Amino acid sequence: MRTLEIILLVMMVLLLGQVWLRPQFGKSRWPTAVLPLVTLVTLLAHWLVEGARWQMVPAYALLSGLALYTLIIYARPQMKKPHFLWDILLLPLILVAVGLPVVMPVPRLPTPTGPLPVGTAAYHWLDESRLEIYTPDPDDTREIMVQFWYPTTAVDSATATLAPLLTNLDIVAPTLAERFDFPSFALDHLNLIQTHAYLDVPVNPEQASYPVIIFSPGYNSMRQQSTSLMEELASHGYVVIALDHTHVGVMTIFPDGRVIFLNPDILKERAVHGDAAHFASAQSLGDVWQADIEYVLSRLENGEIDERFQGKLDLSRLGLLGHSTGSGVASRFCALDARCQAGVGMDAWLGPVSEAVREQGTDKPFLFLMSEYWPTAENKAHIAQYVQNSPQASWSTIAQTAHYDFSDLPLLTPLSYQIGLSGEIDSYVGQSLVREYVRGFFDEHLK
């Protein structure tokens, strides 16, 4: 919870005590009015500085009511104490007022541990050489969104702007809520999350160039799913480029306002369509995602990028990073494309990786960083086959983790384990382990 929210909940307890206990202040009654007035001022400061959110509405109502009632006591000290039945009626409201903001706080992204400030910028790229196979119009070409996180210089917070975690929140929040079976309004407070990356600032000039990591997110996910990890890597001197794989991400929002949602028919369900159709669609998906990465690389190599990055990208030190399906594509890319120098697959699904590629493996360093609970027996067998045929590949498992522990999603609530968003591990501990392993691996092999 945020600082003023915690202070307001403490004031709620103090106001309840003042109503119930009626402390005596001798002949002077003015101390009775101090707490409610301070409470109302703090409430206003919270709205102006931190921003109001729906999870605090019961607390707002209770605080306002208690403050006004206490001021009435100040004006009319002869008033009787409330009947004890009011205490019973207040109890559920008190529990909701305290419990709701605690179980649904404004998530706090871990602070990057590196010495460098972080910048970020997003771009809409159109690959006119490639037809879009996921739309009915035969003339459509492939378009994607990419986002850079990168080292920047010391930032004047008075003039620079911190990037929002998500843009177009009026579209994103209800869509994400539906994705996880929450009420449509449940994630409206995501606009209050503070990132640590500044919008559209210069690249840090201290180094001639920086190693590059390309991040491919999971199926039905989005490029911002692991923002804290992107910021962490950038703060240690990497340029990280994350992709939205259009039509197979949860949504892709283009600058002109168009929104393209997940097409669930692209990846055929095994239970409905059978094994053959399921694996054929996974292979086709892998072809598209690999081509997305190849297109991004071609633009980087040809200098078709923002001028701030010209000459700053050391593509001889290229890493691939993925989560879930994106990890499968990363392992596939590192097996097939010599430009990959090292790769990390976080809780990888190797559906997009053919048996021929698993048999071939890669000669590049590759780390499968897996959760304890998510991988199926079949998927484990595929990873084992890939690792066995890759002399520099390894497989590590983080105990008490589940699939989403490799994203920022478990930070939404301390009840993430109870509602199936994480394993038993403390979410911030899990974040720390993932960041240390991923950064340590790339430091070893790209630096």
Side-chain angles (χ1 to χ4, degrees), residues 272-292:
V272 177
H273 301 279
D275 284 351
H278 175 67
F279 282 112
S281 65
Q283 295 297 304
S284 175
L285 181 150
D287 293 340
V288 173
W289 287 26
Q290 174 131 351
D292 287 345

Side-chain angles (χ1 to χ4, degrees), residues 297-315:
L297 272 175
S298 71
R299 291 194 63 136
L300 303 183
E301 291 170 336
N302 296 331
E304 299 173 20
I305 50 177
D306 191 316
E307 63 180 7
R308 85 188 79 190
F309 298 108
Q310 298 288 349
K312 289 295 183 181
L313 308 180
D314 184 355
L315 295 177

Side-chain angles (χ1 to χ4, degrees), residues 207-318:
Q207 294 185 33
S209 61
Y210 296 91
V212 175
I213 297 172
I214 294 180
F215 175 63
S216 180
Y219 173 81
N220 200 13
S221 189
M222 57 202 313
R223 68 181 189 270
Q224 302 98 330
Q225 68 159 71
S226 301
T227 292
S228 61
L229 177 57
M230 306 296 103
E231 293 179 342
E232 171 74 2
L233 292 167
S235 77
H236 285 273
Y238 292 92
V239 174
V240 190
I241 304 171
L243 289 71
D244 273 332
H245 296 289
T246 315
H247 298 285
V248 279
V250 64
M251 74 189 81
T252 303
I253 303 176
F254 293 110
D256 60 7
R258 286 177 300 125
V259 183
I260 297 179
F261 296 103
L262 169 79
N263 180 349
D265 295 327
I266 290 174
L267 184 59
K268 304 297 183 184
E269 291 185 43
R270 171 181 284 173
V272 177
H273 301 279
D275 284 351
H278 175 67
F279 282 112
S281 65
Q283 295 297 304
S284 175
L285 181 150
D287 293 340
V288 173
W289 287 26
Q290 174 131 351
D292 287 345
I293 294 172
E294 291 169 349
Y295 167 64
V296 169
L297 272 175
S298 71
R299 291 194 63 136
L300 303 183
E301 291 170 336
N302 296 331
E304 299 173 20
I305 50 177
D306 191 316
E307 63 180 7
R308 85 188 79 190
F309 298 108
Q310 298 288 349
K312 289 295 183 181
L313 308 180
D314 184 355
L315 295 177
S316 68
R317 295 186 288 166
L318 174 67

Side-chain angles (χ1 to χ4, degrees), residues 101-394:
V102 169
V103 301
M104 290 198 72
V106 175
R108 176 182 56 82
L109 295 184
T111 303
T113 63
L116 301 172
V118 177
T120 188
Y123 303 95
H124 172 209
W125 285 354
L126 180 64
D127 184 359
E128 296 180 344
S129 69
R130 193 161 43 120
L131 293 177
E132 179 58 82
I133 67 172
Y134 294 141
T135 60
D137 188 340
D139 296 324
D140 282 348
T141 52
R142 182 72 172 164
E143 56 183 331
I144 59 175
M145 290 295 297
V146 298
Q147 186 164 350
F148 287 58
W149 284 266
Y150 54 91
T152 187
T153 53
V155 175
D156 181 359
S157 58
T159 57
T161 303
L162 281 171
L165 178 67
L166 301 167
T167 55
N168 303 93
L169 197 74
D170 57 328
I171 300 169
V172 174
T175 303
L176 288 179
E178 181 182 354
R179 164 79 172 78
F180 296 102
D181 297 322
F182 297 157
S184 61
F185 60 85
L187 302 180
D188 288 351
H189 63 300
L190 294 185
N191 66 316
L192 300 173
I193 297 175
Q194 290 289 315
T195 70
H196 303 94
Y198 291 90
L199 275 173
D200 298 321
V201 288
V203 178
N204 192 305
E206 290 182 8
Q207 294 185 33
S209 61
Y210 296 91
V212 175
I213 297 172
I214 294 180
F215 175 63
S216 180
Y219 173 81
N220 200 13
S221 189
M222 57 202 313
R223 68 181 189 270
Q224 302 98 330
Q225 68 159 71
S226 301
T227 292
S228 61
L229 177 57
M230 306 296 103
E231 293 179 342
E232 171 74 2
L233 292 167
S235 77
H236 285 273
Y238 292 92
V239 174
V240 190
I241 304 171
L243 289 71
D244 273 332
H245 296 289
T246 315
H247 298 285
V248 279
V250 64
M251 74 189 81
T252 303
I253 303 176
F254 293 110
D256 60 7
R258 286 177 300 125
V259 183
I260 297 179
F261 296 103
L262 169 79
N263 180 349
D265 295 327
I266 290 174
L267 184 59
K268 304 297 183 184
E269 291 185 43
R270 171 181 284 173
V272 177
H273 301 279
D275 284 351
H278 175 67
F279 282 112
S281 65
Q283 295 297 304
S284 175
L285 181 150
D287 293 340
V288 173
W289 287 26
Q290 174 131 351
D292 287 345
I293 294 172
E294 291 169 349
Y295 167 64
V296 169
L297 272 175
S298 71
R299 291 194 63 136
L300 303 183
E301 291 170 336
N302 296 331
E304 299 173 20
I305 50 177
D306 191 316
E307 63 180 7
R308 85 188 79 190
F309 298 108
Q310 298 288 349
K312 289 295 183 181
L313 308 180
D314 184 355
L315 295 177
S316 68
R317 295 186 288 166
L318 174 67
L320 269 291
L321 172 65
H323 175 241
S324 193
T325 306
S327 291
V329 175
S331 65
R332 167 182 167 145
F333 185 92
C334 288
L336 299 176
D337 196 309
R339 290 174 291 185
C340 170
Q341 296 302 305
V344 176
M346 301 185 297
D347 225 19
W349 179 59
L350 265 60
V353 184
S354 67
E355 184 172 3
V357 172
R358 298 196 303 268
E359 283 290 342
Q360 170 188 323
T362 180
D363 61 352
K364 302 297 173 31
F366 200 94
L367 169 64
F368 288 101
L369 190 60
M370 304 298 291
S371 71
E372 182 177 356
Y373 302 127
W374 185 76
T376 64
E378 178 184 55
N379 194 46
K380 288 180 178 179
H382 289 168
I383 295 172
Q385 183 182 25
Y386 186 98
V387 170
Q388 183 178 2
N389 295 299
S390 303
Q392 297 191 77
S394 58

